[in-house]
């Protein structure tokens, strides 16, 4: 039986605290709100006067959060954001007015949680979520924007009742925790909705049975395709948002996914804070998220995206077909072994010229050979395997340069994969 780890000293740094969090709980994920709510009450966590937006979904959460943040900031509101996971540094998880907080502030938040949790066991994510909320309440903010980690109903973020709950999409992922069926996954995500509070669904094919259940709970969400919609204009540089009572024309086409921009605008409508069309335009233009449709210019071009399931991979493929057509694509892919590897690679295959599969380290990381075998069952494209992402990336770039034409190196499959690409590349 393992011993309970000792909490870091008062002078310990962020790395020591993160190691402590990793060792504190016997499992990485344990769904349930009882423990988190108990510690939140001891911390006296309350948003106060701040409005709260909670964003759940299989894919699209990060970009929706970023749209909400940049538009609200352009409108003059103060914002606090909590996201997970981080791409490179833990400090990415909390932003106040778009700025990351420093390591010492995170340490102080961890100390605050540790001082009140007593013998209540918390997972890494739960501990970090409580610390993030503690940090947000240290500032007098107008809006908290909270990204759900997994599911919704039993996720630690759901210990706060949101003024506006948002579901971006519903796909198959985290099967071990959420089950293999869209209906069950949608039900878990819909657990963030509360009677009497606003709800927004950006998933166009939301299960009817779950909508009926929400109706029985007196929850009537605004739905894409029913209560709001969007359309790309023929000039390919602008789009229109179409609501039930208003139309916003000539909005700038954003870098991040357009469906999530429309969902964010409906969420802002429901938040009922005044936001001008000029602020919306400015916020859309400034919305950027590392590792989400992140295109780097050069020869070859490099596209980074954390797509790691079939739903996200399908969107990524459609994006490449629409914006970078007829370009040879050299795909650097590393994945976790508990993901739908076959489905994800099949969704990417239509645009891939050559695969460069990479091992991912750690107990959850899949071997490159596993990916190569999964693809070989369906496709005849050339493939190579590498011991790490850096080697695969170097090989893909070299192969792309040899083409003597404009080419694309795509890096995707996991947050871990994209995080291995230097920020300066």
């Amino acid at each position: 039986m393992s011993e309970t780890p000792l909490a870091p000293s008062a002078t310990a740094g962020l790395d020591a605290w993160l190691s402590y969090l990793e060792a504190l709980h016997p499992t990485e994920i344990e769904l349930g709100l009882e423990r988190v709510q108990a510690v939140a009450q001891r911390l006296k966590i309350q948003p106060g006067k701040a409005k709260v937006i909670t964003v759940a979904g299989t894919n699209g959460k990060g970009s929706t959060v970023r749209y909400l943040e940049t538009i609200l900031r352009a409108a003059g509101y103060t914002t606090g954001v909590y996201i997970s996971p981080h791409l490179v540094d833990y400090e990415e998880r909390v932003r106040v007015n778009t700025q990351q907080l420093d390591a010492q502030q995170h340490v102080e938040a961890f100390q605050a949680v540790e001082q009140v949790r007593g013998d209540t066991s918390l997972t890494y994510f739960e501990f970090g979520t409580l610390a993030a909320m503690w940090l947000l309440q240290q500032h007098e903010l107008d809006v908290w924007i909270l990204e759900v980690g997994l599911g919704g109903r039993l996720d630690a973020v759901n210990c706060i009742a949101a003024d506006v709950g948002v579901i971006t999409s519903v796909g198959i992922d985290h099967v071990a925790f959420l089950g293999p069926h869209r209906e069950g996954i949608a039900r878990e995500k819909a657990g963030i909705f509360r009677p009497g509070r606003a709800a927004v669904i950006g998933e166009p094919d939301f299960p009817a049975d779950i909508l009926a259940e929400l109706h029985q709970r007196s929850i009537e969400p605004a739905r894409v395709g029913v209560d709001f919609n969007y359309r790309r204009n023929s000039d390919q540089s602008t789009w229109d948002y179409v609501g039930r009572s208003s139309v916003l024309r000539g909005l700038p086409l954003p870098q991040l996914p357009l469906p999530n921009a429309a969902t964010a605008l409906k969420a802002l409508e429901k938040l009922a804070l005044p936001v001008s069309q000029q602020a919306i335009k400015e916020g859309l233009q400034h919305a950027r998220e590392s590792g989400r449709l992140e295109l780097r210019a050069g020869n070859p071009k490099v596209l980074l995206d954390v797509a790691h399931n079939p739903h996200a991979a399908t969107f990524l493929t459609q994006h490449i077909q629409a914006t970078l057509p007829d370009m040879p694509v050299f795909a650097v892919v590393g994945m976790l072994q508990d993901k739908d590897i076959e489905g994800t690679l099949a969704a990417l295959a239509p645009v891939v010229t050559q695969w460069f599969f990479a091992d991912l380290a750690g107990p959850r990381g899949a071997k490159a050979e596993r990916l190569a075998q999964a693809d070989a069952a369906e496709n005849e494209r050339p493939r190579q395997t590498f011991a790490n992402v850096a080697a695969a990336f170097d090989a893909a770039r070299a192969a792309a340069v040899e083409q003597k034409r404009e080419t694309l190196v795509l890096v995707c499959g996991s947050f871990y994969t994209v995080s291995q690409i230097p920020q300066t590349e």
Side-chain angles (χ1 to χ4, degrees):
M1 185 173 180
S2 61
E3 296 182 1
T4 301
L6 295 176
S9 68
T11 58
L14 180 58
D15 288 343
W17 273 97
L18 295 178
S19 296
Y20 173 65
L21 268 56
E22 290 173 348
L24 190 60
H25 196 78
T27 60
E28 181 180 2
I29 298 171
E30 182 179 339
L31 296 178
L33 293 179
E34 294 83 2
R35 291 170 295 106
V36 172
Q37 287 176 329
V39 180
Q41 289 174 356
R42 296 172 208 159
L43 282 169
K44 297 181 172 56
I45 288 178
Q46 290 292 337
K49 296 180 180 179
K51 301 281 190 180
V52 177
I53 307 175
T54 298
V55 182
T58 304
N59 300 298
K61 293 177 292 186
S63 56
T64 302
V65 166
R66 184 65 85 170
Y67 283 130
L68 291 166
E69 178 187 32
T70 55
I71 293 171
L72 285 166
R73 287 295 297 143
Y77 297 105
T78 55
T79 59
V81 166
Y82 171 56
I83 63 168
S84 68
H86 58 275
L87 192 61
V88 179
D89 299 314
Y90 187 89
E91 293 95 314
E92 298 169 25
R93 295 191 178 214
V94 180
R95 299 192 295 266
V96 173
N97 295 327
T98 74
Q99 300 302 307
Q100 295 178 21
L101 303 183
D102 62 34
Q104 183 56 38
Q105 290 171 291
H106 285 277
V107 167
E108 291 171 2
F110 291 149
Q111 290 172 333
V113 176
E114 181 66 19
Q115 287 171 2
V116 303
R117 74 174 183 86
D119 59 359
T120 302
S121 181
L122 297 171
T123 66
Y124 180 101
F125 177 75
E126 291 167 341
F127 207 116
T129 298
L130 289 165
M133 292 177 177
W134 184 89
L135 285 168
L136 295 185
Q137 73 175 6
Q138 306 308 305
H139 301 80
E140 292 188 6
L141 301 171
D142 295 318
V143 184
W144 291 15
I145 310 169
L146 309 176
E147 179 184 335
V148 171
L150 190 154
R153 180 176 63 94
L154 299 176
D155 187 88
V157 168
N158 202 33
C159 71
I160 295 288
D163 295 284
V164 182
V166 179
I167 296 177
T168 58
S169 64
V170 179
I172 306 297
D173 202 0
H174 300 293
V175 171
F177 297 96
L178 303 179
H181 305 295
R182 289 185 79 248
E183 289 76 8
I185 293 172
R187 181 178 292 109
E188 289 299 315
K189 295 187 186 306
I192 67 170
F193 296 152
R194 306 286 204 280
R197 304 287 182 101
V200 177
I201 295 178
E203 166 59 58
D205 187 29
F206 201 80
D209 289 349
I210 311 306
L211 289 172
E213 292 178 12
L214 290 173
H215 178 73
Q216 292 175 353
R217 294 171 52 200
S218 300
I219 298 172
E220 302 295 341
R223 292 187 288 147
V224 67
V226 178
D227 302 285
F228 68 100
N229 219 323
Y230 58 94
R231 59 193 178 212
R232 186 191 296 254
N233 294 324
S234 58
D235 61 12
Q236 297 302 310
S237 62
T238 64
W239 65 288
D240 299 338
Y241 170 81
V242 183
R244 277 191 175 274
S245 59
S246 65
V247 177
L248 300 178
R249 302 184 187 277
L251 299 175
L253 200 63
Q255 174 185 299
L256 297 173
L258 181 56
N260 302 328
T263 301
L265 291 187
K266 174 52 70 172
L268 290 174
E269 281 186 22
K270 292 293 186 179
L271 193 64
L273 291 177
V275 176
S276 69
Q277 185 164 345
Q278 180 57 39
I280 290 172
K281 289 182 176 181
E282 184 179 336
L284 290 171
Q285 290 173 322
H286 285 90
R288 300 285 189 276
E289 191 75 356
S290 297
R292 276 82 161 188
L293 299 182
E294 181 184 347
L295 184 64
R296 298 181 181 179
N299 183 28
K301 288 182 169 64
V302 176
L303 180 63
L304 309 178
D305 194 89
V306 296
H308 56 273
N309 53 49
H311 184 278
T314 297
F315 183 88
L316 177 57
T317 293
Q318 294 169 346
H319 175 78
I320 292 172
Q321 290 170 331
T323 62
L324 302 164
D326 305 320
M327 191 178 294
V329 177
F330 297 83
V332 177
V333 182
M335 295 189 67
L336 299 178
Q337 57 187 337
D338 54 7
K339 299 300 180 180
D340 182 355
I341 293 174
E342 283 79 5
T344 302
L345 296 182
L348 292 170
V351 294
V352 172
T353 304
Q354 185 171 340
W355 298 102
F356 296 79
F357 294 122
D359 291 355
L360 285 190
R364 294 177 63 202
K367 294 294 184 182
E369 190 59 38
R370 164 77 175 87
L371 275 60
Q373 291 171 353
D375 174 70
E378 298 292 336
N379 302 290
E380 298 299 327
R381 293 169 182 76
R383 62 186 63 84
Q384 294 176 255
T385 59
F386 299 86
N388 54 65
V389 173
F393 183 59
D394 288 343
R397 285 201 302 181
V401 169
E402 290 179 359
Q403 297 298 301
K404 307 300 183 184
R405 57 173 293 192
E406 194 173 34
T407 56
L408 177 70
V409 173
L410 170 66
V411 183
C412 64
S414 171
F415 279 84
Y416 299 100
T417 307
V418 173
S419 70
Q420 300 305 304
I421 308 303
Q423 296 290 300
T424 57
E425 285 289 343

